[in-house]
Amino acid sequence: MTNVTITLSSINDVKNFVNIVNRYSFDVELICGKYVVDAKSIMGIFSLDLSQKLLLQAECGKEDPFWEDIKPFLA
């Protein structure tokens, strides 16, 4: 499992992020305070406080191409 911090500052950011994450079969979660949601769920993401940085946990290694795809969202 790998953890990074991301920001999603607009509706388009959320839509683009969910489209990217859904291309991968492994689990990805977003954590904001005590709340944990599936990063593949647009409704789940909109339940979070998007004005704060979010902790992303992905079930993949640092060498996975996933990290290059989400680079625009890294905080």
Side-chain angles (χ1 to χ4, degrees), residues 9-57:
S9 55
S10 71
I11 292 171
N12 283 334
D13 281 354
V14 173
K15 290 190 317 189
N16 292 335
F17 177 79
V18 169
N19 286 335
I20 291 168
V21 173
N22 274 300
R23 287 188 257 167
Y24 295 91
S25 61
F26 51 81
D27 290 334
V28 182
E29 298 175 333
L30 290 176
I31 302 166
C32 183
K34 64 181 180 178
Y35 300 101
V36 179
V37 299
D38 182 349
K40 296 179 181 184
S41 167
I42 196 164
M43 294 300 287
I45 293 173
F46 280 124
S47 72
L48 300 175
D49 180 0
L50 299 180
S51 68
Q52 298 185 28
K53 292 182 179 179
L54 306 171
L55 179 65
L56 180 144
Q57 290 184 337

Short mmCIF file of all heavy atoms in Angstrom, two decimals, residues 9-57:
data_model
loop_
_atom_site.label_atom_id
_atom_site.label_comp_id
_atom_site.label_asym_id
_atom_site.label_seq_id
_atom_site.Cartn_x
_atom_site.Cartn_y
_atom_site.Cartn_z
N SER A 9 -9.62 20.33 -6.52
CA SER A 9 -10.13 21.67 -6.26
C SER A 9 -11.33 22.09 -7.11
O SER A 9 -11.86 23.18 -6.91
CB SER A 9 -9.00 22.68 -6.42
OG SER A 9 -8.41 22.56 -7.69
N SER A 10 -11.77 21.24 -8.03
CA SER A 10 -12.93 21.60 -8.85
C SER A 10 -13.72 20.35 -9.22
O SER A 10 -13.23 19.22 -9.07
CB SER A 10 -12.47 22.32 -10.13
OG SER A 10 -11.84 21.41 -11.01
N ILE A 11 -14.91 20.57 -9.73
CA ILE A 11 -15.74 19.46 -10.18
C ILE A 11 -15.05 18.70 -11.30
O ILE A 11 -15.06 17.47 -11.33
CB ILE A 11 -17.13 19.96 -10.62
CG1 ILE A 11 -17.91 20.48 -9.42
CG2 ILE A 11 -17.92 18.88 -11.35
CD1 ILE A 11 -19.19 21.19 -9.76
N ASN A 12 -14.41 19.43 -12.21
CA ASN A 12 -13.69 18.77 -13.31
C ASN A 12 -12.53 17.94 -12.79
O ASN A 12 -12.24 16.87 -13.33
CB ASN A 12 -13.22 19.79 -14.33
CG ASN A 12 -14.34 20.25 -15.23
OD1 ASN A 12 -15.31 19.53 -15.44
ND2 ASN A 12 -14.22 21.45 -15.76
N ASP A 13 -11.83 18.43 -11.76
CA ASP A 13 -10.76 17.64 -11.15
C ASP A 13 -11.31 16.31 -10.64
O ASP A 13 -10.70 15.26 -10.86
CB ASP A 13 -10.11 18.38 -9.98
CG ASP A 13 -9.12 19.43 -10.40
OD1 ASP A 13 -8.82 19.54 -11.62
OD2 ASP A 13 -8.64 20.17 -9.52
N VAL A 14 -12.44 16.35 -9.96
CA VAL A 14 -13.03 15.13 -9.41
C VAL A 14 -13.41 14.18 -10.54
O VAL A 14 -13.09 12.98 -10.49
CB VAL A 14 -14.26 15.45 -8.52
CG1 VAL A 14 -14.96 14.16 -8.09
CG2 VAL A 14 -13.84 16.27 -7.31
N LYS A 15 -14.06 14.68 -11.57
CA LYS A 15 -14.46 13.82 -12.70
C LYS A 15 -13.24 13.20 -13.38
O LYS A 15 -13.23 11.99 -13.66
CB LYS A 15 -15.29 14.61 -13.71
CG LYS A 15 -16.66 14.98 -13.20
CD LYS A 15 -17.60 15.54 -14.24
CE LYS A 15 -17.02 16.53 -15.19
NZ LYS A 15 -18.00 17.21 -16.04
N ASN A 16 -12.23 13.99 -13.64
CA ASN A 16 -11.01 13.47 -14.29
C ASN A 16 -10.31 12.45 -13.40
O ASN A 16 -9.85 11.41 -13.88
CB ASN A 16 -10.07 14.61 -14.65
CG ASN A 16 -10.62 15.50 -15.73
OD1 ASN A 16 -11.45 15.09 -16.53
ND2 ASN A 16 -10.17 16.75 -15.76
N PHE A 17 -10.22 12.74 -12.11
CA PHE A 17 -9.58 11.84 -11.17
C PHE A 17 -10.31 10.49 -11.13
O PHE A 17 -9.68 9.44 -11.22
CB PHE A 17 -9.54 12.48 -9.77
CG PHE A 17 -8.97 11.59 -8.73
CD1 PHE A 17 -7.59 11.43 -8.61
CD2 PHE A 17 -9.79 10.91 -7.86
CE1 PHE A 17 -7.06 10.61 -7.65
CE2 PHE A 17 -9.26 10.08 -6.89
CZ PHE A 17 -7.89 9.93 -6.78
N VAL A 18 -11.63 10.51 -11.02
CA VAL A 18 -12.41 9.26 -10.96
C VAL A 18 -12.24 8.47 -12.25
O VAL A 18 -12.10 7.24 -12.22
CB VAL A 18 -13.89 9.56 -10.66
CG1 VAL A 18 -14.76 8.32 -10.85
CG2 VAL A 18 -14.04 10.11 -9.24
N ASN A 19 -12.22 9.13 -13.39
CA ASN A 19 -12.01 8.44 -14.67
C ASN A 19 -10.66 7.74 -14.70
O ASN A 19 -10.55 6.61 -15.19
CB ASN A 19 -12.13 9.41 -15.84
CG ASN A 19 -13.57 9.79 -16.12
OD1 ASN A 19 -14.49 9.06 -15.80
ND2 ASN A 19 -13.75 10.96 -16.72
N ILE A 20 -9.63 8.39 -14.18
CA ILE A 20 -8.30 7.78 -14.15
C ILE A 20 -8.28 6.59 -13.20
O ILE A 20 -7.82 5.50 -13.56
CB ILE A 20 -7.24 8.82 -13.73
CG1 ILE A 20 -7.05 9.86 -14.84
CG2 ILE A 20 -5.91 8.14 -13.39
CD1 ILE A 20 -6.26 11.08 -14.42
N VAL A 21 -8.77 6.78 -11.99
CA VAL A 21 -8.72 5.71 -10.98
C VAL A 21 -9.50 4.48 -11.43
O VAL A 21 -9.08 3.35 -11.17
CB VAL A 21 -9.24 6.26 -9.62
CG1 VAL A 21 -9.37 5.15 -8.60
CG2 VAL A 21 -8.32 7.35 -9.10
N ASN A 22 -10.60 4.68 -12.12
CA ASN A 22 -11.41 3.54 -12.56
C ASN A 22 -10.75 2.69 -13.64
O ASN A 22 -11.22 1.59 -13.93
CB ASN A 22 -12.79 4.01 -13.01
CG ASN A 22 -13.75 4.13 -11.86
OD1 ASN A 22 -14.01 3.14 -11.18
ND2 ASN A 22 -14.24 5.32 -11.61
N ARG A 23 -9.66 3.15 -14.21
CA ARG A 23 -8.92 2.35 -15.21
C ARG A 23 -8.09 1.25 -14.55
O ARG A 23 -7.60 0.36 -15.23
CB ARG A 23 -8.00 3.24 -16.02
CG ARG A 23 -8.73 4.11 -17.00
CD ARG A 23 -7.77 4.81 -17.90
NE ARG A 23 -7.66 6.19 -17.45
CZ ARG A 23 -6.75 7.05 -17.82
NH1 ARG A 23 -5.81 6.69 -18.67
NH2 ARG A 23 -6.74 8.27 -17.37
N TYR A 24 -7.92 1.31 -13.24
CA TYR A 24 -7.06 0.37 -12.53
C TYR A 24 -7.91 -0.58 -11.68
O TYR A 24 -8.91 -0.17 -11.10
CB TYR A 24 -6.06 1.14 -11.66
CG TYR A 24 -5.10 1.94 -12.50
CD1 TYR A 24 -5.38 3.26 -12.86
CD2 TYR A 24 -3.93 1.37 -12.98
CE1 TYR A 24 -4.52 3.99 -13.65
CE2 TYR A 24 -3.06 2.09 -13.78
CZ TYR A 24 -3.36 3.40 -14.11
OH TYR A 24 -2.49 4.11 -14.91
N SER A 25 -7.47 -1.83 -11.60
CA SER A 25 -8.25 -2.85 -10.89
C SER A 25 -8.00 -2.88 -9.39
O SER A 25 -8.82 -3.43 -8.64
CB SER A 25 -7.96 -4.23 -11.48
OG SER A 25 -6.59 -4.54 -11.33
N PHE A 26 -6.91 -2.31 -8.92
CA PHE A 26 -6.61 -2.36 -7.49
C PHE A 26 -7.44 -1.33 -6.71
O PHE A 26 -8.00 -0.40 -7.28
CB PHE A 26 -5.11 -2.16 -7.23
CG PHE A 26 -4.51 -0.96 -7.91
CD1 PHE A 26 -4.62 0.31 -7.39
CD2 PHE A 26 -3.82 -1.13 -9.11
CE1 PHE A 26 -4.06 1.39 -8.02
CE2 PHE A 26 -3.25 -0.04 -9.76
CZ PHE A 26 -3.38 1.22 -9.21
N ASP A 27 -7.51 -1.51 -5.40
CA ASP A 27 -8.28 -0.62 -4.54
C ASP A 27 -7.56 0.70 -4.32
O ASP A 27 -6.34 0.73 -4.13
CB ASP A 27 -8.53 -1.26 -3.17
CG ASP A 27 -9.49 -2.42 -3.25
OD1 ASP A 27 -10.32 -2.45 -4.18
OD2 ASP A 27 -9.44 -3.30 -2.36
N VAL A 28 -8.33 1.79 -4.35
CA VAL A 28 -7.82 3.13 -4.07
C VAL A 28 -8.83 3.80 -3.14
O VAL A 28 -10.03 3.79 -3.43
CB VAL A 28 -7.65 3.97 -5.36
CG1 VAL A 28 -7.07 5.33 -5.03
CG2 VAL A 28 -6.77 3.25 -6.37
N GLU A 29 -8.34 4.35 -2.04
CA GLU A 29 -9.21 5.02 -1.08
C GLU A 29 -8.74 6.44 -0.85
O GLU A 29 -7.55 6.73 -0.96
CB GLU A 29 -9.21 4.28 0.26
CG GLU A 29 -9.74 2.88 0.18
CD GLU A 29 -9.64 2.12 1.47
OE1 GLU A 29 -8.74 2.42 2.28
OE2 GLU A 29 -10.46 1.22 1.67
N LEU A 30 -9.70 7.30 -0.51
CA LEU A 30 -9.38 8.67 -0.11
C LEU A 30 -9.80 8.85 1.34
O LEU A 30 -10.87 8.42 1.74
CB LEU A 30 -10.12 9.68 -0.99
CG LEU A 30 -9.66 9.79 -2.42
CD1 LEU A 30 -10.55 10.77 -3.19
CD2 LEU A 30 -8.21 10.25 -2.50
N ILE A 31 -8.94 9.53 2.10
CA ILE A 31 -9.18 9.73 3.52
C ILE A 31 -9.13 11.23 3.80
O ILE A 31 -8.20 11.92 3.39
CB ILE A 31 -8.12 9.00 4.36
CG1 ILE A 31 -8.14 7.51 4.03
CG2 ILE A 31 -8.33 9.26 5.84
CD1 ILE A 31 -6.96 6.75 4.54
N CYS A 32 -10.16 11.70 4.50
CA CYS A 32 -10.24 13.09 4.93
C CYS A 32 -10.72 13.07 6.37
O CYS A 32 -11.89 12.78 6.63
CB CYS A 32 -11.18 13.88 4.04
SG CYS A 32 -11.27 15.63 4.44
N GLY A 33 -9.81 13.33 7.30
CA GLY A 33 -10.15 13.23 8.71
C GLY A 33 -10.49 11.80 9.06
O GLY A 33 -9.72 10.89 8.79
N LYS A 34 -11.69 11.58 9.61
CA LYS A 34 -12.09 10.23 10.01
C LYS A 34 -12.88 9.51 8.92
O LYS A 34 -13.31 8.37 9.10
CB LYS A 34 -12.91 10.28 11.29
CG LYS A 34 -14.21 11.02 11.17
CD LYS A 34 -14.94 11.05 12.50
CE LYS A 34 -16.26 11.81 12.33
NZ LYS A 34 -17.02 11.83 13.56
N TYR A 35 -13.07 10.15 7.76
CA TYR A 35 -13.86 9.58 6.68
C TYR A 35 -12.97 8.91 5.64
O TYR A 35 -11.97 9.47 5.22
CB TYR A 35 -14.72 10.65 6.01
CG TYR A 35 -15.68 11.30 6.97
CD1 TYR A 35 -15.41 12.54 7.51
CD2 TYR A 35 -16.85 10.64 7.35
CE1 TYR A 35 -16.29 13.13 8.42
CE2 TYR A 35 -17.73 11.22 8.25
CZ TYR A 35 -17.44 12.46 8.78
OH TYR A 35 -18.31 13.03 9.68
N VAL A 36 -13.38 7.72 5.23
CA VAL A 36 -12.67 6.95 4.19
C VAL A 36 -13.68 6.59 3.11
O VAL A 36 -14.74 6.05 3.42
CB VAL A 36 -12.05 5.66 4.78
CG1 VAL A 36 -11.35 4.87 3.70
CG2 VAL A 36 -11.13 5.97 5.93
N VAL A 37 -13.36 6.93 1.85
CA VAL A 37 -14.27 6.60 0.75
C VAL A 37 -13.50 5.91 -0.37
O VAL A 37 -12.28 6.07 -0.50
CB VAL A 37 -14.99 7.85 0.18
CG1 VAL A 37 -15.84 8.52 1.24
CG2 VAL A 37 -14.02 8.83 -0.43
N ASP A 38 -14.23 5.17 -1.17
CA ASP A 38 -13.68 4.52 -2.36
C ASP A 38 -13.39 5.63 -3.38
O ASP A 38 -14.29 6.38 -3.75
CB ASP A 38 -14.70 3.54 -2.90
CG ASP A 38 -14.24 2.75 -4.10
OD1 ASP A 38 -13.18 3.09 -4.68
OD2 ASP A 38 -14.94 1.81 -4.49
N ALA A 39 -12.15 5.73 -3.84
CA ALA A 39 -11.76 6.77 -4.79
C ALA A 39 -12.37 6.56 -6.17
O ALA A 39 -12.27 7.42 -7.02
CB ALA A 39 -10.23 6.85 -4.89
N LYS A 40 -13.02 5.43 -6.39
CA LYS A 40 -13.67 5.16 -7.67
C LYS A 40 -15.13 5.63 -7.66
O LYS A 40 -15.82 5.52 -8.65
CB LYS A 40 -13.60 3.67 -7.99
CG LYS A 40 -12.16 3.20 -8.18
CD LYS A 40 -12.06 1.74 -8.47
CE LYS A 40 -10.59 1.35 -8.63
NZ LYS A 40 -10.44 -0.04 -9.01
N SER A 41 -15.57 6.16 -6.52
CA SER A 41 -16.94 6.61 -6.35
C SER A 41 -17.03 8.13 -6.37
O SER A 41 -16.59 8.80 -5.43
CB SER A 41 -17.51 6.08 -5.03
OG SER A 41 -18.72 6.73 -4.72
N ILE A 42 -17.61 8.68 -7.42
CA ILE A 42 -17.72 10.13 -7.52
C ILE A 42 -18.61 10.67 -6.40
O ILE A 42 -18.33 11.73 -5.82
CB ILE A 42 -18.21 10.56 -8.92
CG1 ILE A 42 -17.94 12.05 -9.14
CG2 ILE A 42 -19.66 10.23 -9.13
CD1 ILE A 42 -18.02 12.46 -10.60
N MET A 43 -19.66 9.94 -6.04
CA MET A 43 -20.54 10.38 -4.95
C MET A 43 -19.80 10.34 -3.61
O MET A 43 -19.97 11.23 -2.78
CB MET A 43 -21.80 9.50 -4.88
CG MET A 43 -22.70 9.66 -6.09
SD MET A 43 -23.30 11.34 -6.31
CE MET A 43 -24.47 11.42 -4.99
N GLY A 44 -18.98 9.33 -3.42
CA GLY A 44 -18.19 9.25 -2.19
C GLY A 44 -17.23 10.42 -2.07
O GLY A 44 -17.10 11.02 -1.00
N ILE A 45 -16.57 10.76 -3.15
CA ILE A 45 -15.62 11.87 -3.13
C ILE A 45 -16.33 13.18 -2.82
O ILE A 45 -15.84 13.99 -2.03
CB ILE A 45 -14.84 11.95 -4.45
CG1 ILE A 45 -13.93 10.73 -4.59
CG2 ILE A 45 -14.02 13.24 -4.50
CD1 ILE A 45 -13.24 10.62 -5.93
N PHE A 46 -17.51 13.40 -3.39
CA PHE A 46 -18.24 14.64 -3.13
C PHE A 46 -18.77 14.72 -1.70
O PHE A 46 -19.20 15.79 -1.27
CB PHE A 46 -19.36 14.84 -4.15
CG PHE A 46 -18.87 15.40 -5.45
CD1 PHE A 46 -19.13 14.75 -6.64
CD2 PHE A 46 -18.15 16.58 -5.50
CE1 PHE A 46 -18.68 15.27 -7.85
CE2 PHE A 46 -17.69 17.11 -6.70
CZ PHE A 46 -17.96 16.45 -7.87
N SER A 47 -18.72 13.62 -0.96
CA SER A 47 -19.12 13.67 0.45
C SER A 47 -17.98 14.17 1.35
O SER A 47 -18.19 14.42 2.53
CB SER A 47 -19.59 12.29 0.92
OG SER A 47 -18.49 11.40 1.05
N LEU A 48 -16.78 14.32 0.78
CA LEU A 48 -15.63 14.79 1.54
C LEU A 48 -15.50 16.31 1.48
O LEU A 48 -16.05 16.95 0.58
CB LEU A 48 -14.34 14.15 0.99
CG LEU A 48 -14.27 12.63 1.03
CD1 LEU A 48 -13.00 12.16 0.33
CD2 LEU A 48 -14.33 12.11 2.45
N ASP A 49 -14.72 16.86 2.39
CA ASP A 49 -14.41 18.29 2.38
C ASP A 49 -13.27 18.52 1.40
O ASP A 49 -12.10 18.32 1.73
CB ASP A 49 -14.02 18.75 3.79
CG ASP A 49 -13.69 20.23 3.85
OD1 ASP A 49 -13.76 20.92 2.81
OD2 ASP A 49 -13.36 20.70 4.95
N LEU A 50 -13.59 18.93 0.18
CA LEU A 50 -12.59 19.06 -0.87
C LEU A 50 -11.75 20.33 -0.74
O LEU A 50 -10.84 20.54 -1.53
CB LEU A 50 -13.26 19.01 -2.24
CG LEU A 50 -13.99 17.69 -2.54
CD1 LEU A 50 -14.63 17.74 -3.92
CD2 LEU A 50 -13.05 16.50 -2.42
N SER A 51 -12.02 21.15 0.26
CA SER A 51 -11.17 22.32 0.51
C SER A 51 -9.89 21.92 1.24
O SER A 51 -8.97 22.71 1.36
CB SER A 51 -11.93 23.37 1.31
OG SER A 51 -12.18 22.92 2.63
N GLN A 52 -9.85 20.68 1.72
CA GLN A 52 -8.67 20.16 2.42
C GLN A 52 -7.90 19.20 1.53
O GLN A 52 -8.44 18.66 0.57
CB GLN A 52 -9.10 19.41 3.69
CG GLN A 52 -9.80 20.27 4.69
CD GLN A 52 -10.08 19.50 5.96
OE1 GLN A 52 -9.37 18.56 6.31
NE2 GLN A 52 -11.14 19.89 6.65
N LYS A 53 -6.63 18.98 1.89
CA LYS A 53 -5.85 17.96 1.20
C LYS A 53 -6.38 16.60 1.62
O LYS A 53 -6.85 16.41 2.74
CB LYS A 53 -4.37 18.09 1.56
CG LYS A 53 -3.76 19.36 1.00
CD LYS A 53 -2.30 19.44 1.32
CE LYS A 53 -1.75 20.73 0.72
NZ LYS A 53 -0.33 20.89 1.00
N LEU A 54 -6.33 15.65 0.70
CA LEU A 54 -6.84 14.31 0.93
C LEU A 54 -5.69 13.31 0.92
O LEU A 54 -4.76 13.44 0.11
CB LEU A 54 -7.84 13.94 -0.16
CG LEU A 54 -9.00 14.90 -0.39
CD1 LEU A 54 -9.77 14.51 -1.64
CD2 LEU A 54 -9.91 14.93 0.81
N LEU A 55 -5.77 12.33 1.79
CA LEU A 55 -4.78 11.24 1.78
C LEU A 55 -5.29 10.15 0.85
O LEU A 55 -6.43 9.69 1.00
CB LEU A 55 -4.59 10.69 3.19
CG LEU A 55 -3.60 9.54 3.31
CD1 LEU A 55 -2.19 10.01 2.94
CD2 LEU A 55 -3.62 8.95 4.70
N LEU A 56 -4.48 9.77 -0.11
CA LEU A 56 -4.83 8.70 -1.05
C LEU A 56 -4.03 7.46 -0.67
O LEU A 56 -2.82 7.54 -0.47
CB LEU A 56 -4.49 9.14 -2.48
CG LEU A 56 -4.79 8.12 -3.56
CD1 LEU A 56 -5.27 8.82 -4.81
CD2 LEU A 56 -3.57 7.28 -3.89
N GLN A 57 -4.72 6.33 -0.54
CA GLN A 57 -4.08 5.04 -0.30
C GLN A 57 -4.37 4.14 -1.49
O GLN A 57 -5.54 3.93 -1.82
CB GLN A 57 -4.60 4.38 0.97
CG GLN A 57 -4.18 5.07 2.23
CD GLN A 57 -4.66 4.32 3.47
OE1 GLN A 57 -5.61 3.55 3.43
NE2 GLN A 57 -3.97 4.55 4.56
#
